[in-house]
Amino acid sequence: RRDARTASQSDANNDLPSPFSDLPALISAFTAKGLTAADMTVLSGGHTIGQARCDGFRNRIYNETNIDANFATTRRGSCPASGGDGNLAPLASSPNRFDNAYFSALVGGNSFFRSSSLGKGF
């Protein structure tokens, strides 16, 4: 990294925005680091690869309304209302390939991220 002479995992983890942040909070957090909303959008694309744990998205699929109903129902199949905290689900439809599936999911409301329903203008 060019912006630091030392690295600290603890500092990095304490300075990340919450995965439960809404879009205005995310934009604010990235702006505080000198990044634009466009920069944030590009960086968020890294979520096209990987999976999420049930305990990280359970509340969204059971209690939030700004999510595609079919997506929530599908994800409930592998993430029960209680238990199964470590069960995994893909962040995008192609979790092992770097593509635009993550962004397509965001626009369609098929995402674990709360900011997806607010970010349709990106």
Side-chain angles (χ1 to χ4, degrees):
R1 292 181 37 164
R2 295 181 184 185
D3 63 340
R5 294 177 190 248
T6 62
S8 167
Q9 183 176 3
S10 173
D11 287 347
N13 287 338
N14 288 329
D15 207 17
L16 290 174
S18 166
F20 308 108
S21 297
D22 61 12
L23 186 60
L26 291 170
I27 290 173
S28 177
F30 277 78
T31 299
K33 296 293 179 191
L35 298 168
T36 66
D39 295 330
M40 177 189 70
T41 302
V42 169
L43 289 169
S44 74
H47 290 100
T48 195
I49 296 175
Q51 300 194 41
R53 288 173 42 107
C54 176
D55 61 346
F57 63 84
R58 178 181 289 117
N59 185 62
R60 178 149 169 74
I61 63 172
Y62 282 97
N63 299 314
E64 295 187 15
T65 58
N66 63 344
I67 186 171
D68 179 82
N70 291 327
F71 174 77
T73 299
T74 298
R75 293 298 168 229
R76 289 176 190 148
S78 63
C79 182
S82 63
D85 289 354
N87 294 355
L88 299 175
L91 291 169
S93 61
S94 52
N96 299 317
R97 190 173 61 234
F98 195 84
D99 58 18
N100 69 352
Y102 165 78
F103 290 113
S104 295
L106 286 178
V107 172
N110 301 316
S111 172
F112 297 129
F113 300 108
R114 291 181 65 225
S115 60
S116 64
S117 65
L118 303 172
K120 293 182 180 179
F122 276 113

